[in-house]
Amino acid sequence: MNETETAGTRALFRPAFTHMAFHTADIDKTATFYMRFCGMENVHERENDGIRVIWLAEPGKEHEFVFVLIAGGRPDPQPEHDMSHLGFALDSRKAVDEIAEKGKAHLFWEPRDLPPPVGYFCALKDPDGRVVEFSYGQPLGPGYEG
């Protein structure tokens, strides 16, 4: 591709991040976790060749980004110092504390405050062992003053 084609191609083929997909050991348990703690809704469900698939999305955003759960995985808990995680912004520090309390059986990181751009956050582990962070004050959510 030459330089002229590159500029035009970027405009036409700019990728849009539309979904993440994960296999899960217990699709119902995992879907319930994300609906309960992350406020997501089941926006699509089907079975392909005997394998259940559920799409979850934030209310009203099912045409922007979905979280796809695919039955048939196995739990794969993250090691203690693995910082990989999914991040959800909340509207206040109090909301972070409430998630930590509501999800205390799943609590992985106690609520804590770190300098910008991190802010105030806690994390739960989903039924498959993935870390899910809930934050207030990060640049991608409410409360950022950076």
Side-chain angles (χ1 to χ4, degrees), residues 30-40 99 101-106 134:
T30 301
T32 298
F33 174 93
Y34 286 96
M35 290 187 287
R36 179 176 181 212
F37 295 110
C38 303
M40 302 181 102
I99 284 284
E101 180 61 30
K102 181 179 174 181
K104 69 174 132 190
H106 305 276
F134 298 90

Side-chain angles (χ1 to χ4, degrees), residues 23-87:
H23 281 272
T24 181
D26 184 329
I27 195 167
D28 291 315
K29 194 174 185 180
T30 301
T32 298
F33 174 93
Y34 286 96
M35 290 187 287
R36 179 176 181 212
F37 295 110
C38 303
M40 302 181 102
E41 297 177 337
N42 181 332
V43 297
H44 172 78
E45 192 166 339
R46 69 175 186 277
E47 195 168 303
N48 288 21
D49 300 322
I51 299 171
R52 283 182 62 211
V53 176
I54 296 175
W55 289 15
L56 302 174
E58 291 182 60
K61 295 190 177 184
E62 62 274 3
H63 299 290
E64 297 173 36
F65 187 83
V66 295
F67 188 58
V68 181
L69 300 176
I70 306 162
R74 61 178 171 71
D76 189 21
Q78 288 177 222
E80 186 72 28
H81 299 290
D82 182 346
M83 296 298 290
S84 303
H85 63 275
L86 300 169

